[in-house]
Amino acid sequence: MSTPATVRHHVLTNLDHYLTELEEQLTAKGGKVVYLRSVEEVADSIELLAREKGWPLPADLRQQMERLEPGVAEYLLGGPREAGGSLLLAAGELRIASAAYLIAEAGAVCLIGPPADGAGPRMQIVVAGIDRVLPRMRDVAVFLPLLAGEGSVQFLTGPRRAGEWDGPEELYVYLVDGGRIPLLADPAKRDVLRCVRCGACLSSPPDGSPVVCPVGIDLENIPGLLRRELPPETSGWKYRLWGFVMRRPRLYEFAGRMLRSFWREEWGVPEPPAKSFRQTWREEGRK
Ligand code: SF4
């Protein structure tokens, strides 16, 4: 029986095969597949296409792009979660969306997000990490429950064909390496690429019981493995200070209060919530 873990393992050990199949199927239906190394290259390519069409783009395109296809290990390290992001640009002519999955057999793109309205944009660009491919359409059913509640599910199977009343006139699929190929080559870290960004590991139970990853990533050991590779300036005194504070609950709570009082937008980190978890816990009487 297919499980999320077995499908992801199979895909990662046969990635070249499924990427080739996806490209062949998409191209046969009129889609265009572009391989890119980074989100910066994605932004360059979008700017080039928009310039050719004479479509104006927002000045902060690159910042907006960053929320579409974040780094691979970001979720394991507690980064932001923006699955299913999409941007509508150039007065509705161009939509850029991050794919939830790509289906090799069908040459299809699975998007999860707000429901599509009307005939959609003239050009659709889908951005996806190279690891987002699934072999068969039936595999999508194995993964969708992990992203339940994210929004409506849409499938794109190429640009609009003669006689069809909706769909983009042009479809580009940008397949982004974004650091995945070196991870794939490293047996100790390859499993990180199994992540489907379900978000389960971002909300550890307050009782400290372990989170079970649906695709079998070793959540106990991989974050430590990645952390050991940080340069000395980020693994030295800052982490020792953090560890010191973390082991002292009252000091930790005090530090949290200070952080909320003095938080500044220019730090570029998400604004902390107005109340700490401990405050909410106490107020709800669950000591
Ligand atoms: S639980 Fe596993 S699949 Fe889900 S976000 Fe965490 S690492 Fe990724």
Side-chain angles (χ1 to χ4, degrees), residues 236-253 255:
W237 68 268
K238 290 177 193 165
Y239 280 96
R240 281 201 296 279
L241 177 64
W242 177 252
F244 180 84
V245 176
M246 284 283 282
R247 288 193 298 274
R248 289 159 181 82
R250 286 179 193 283
L251 181 59
Y252 183 78
E253 191 168 1

Side-chain angles (χ1 to χ4, degrees), residues 75-76 81 146 192 194-202 211-217 219:
Y75 293 100
L76 290 170
R81 182 158 178 261
L146 302 179
V192 171
R194 287 190 193 184
C195 178
V196 291
R197 296 175 184 169
C198 70
C201 59
L202 295 185
V211 175
V212 178
C213 171
V215 290
I217 296 176
L219 295 172

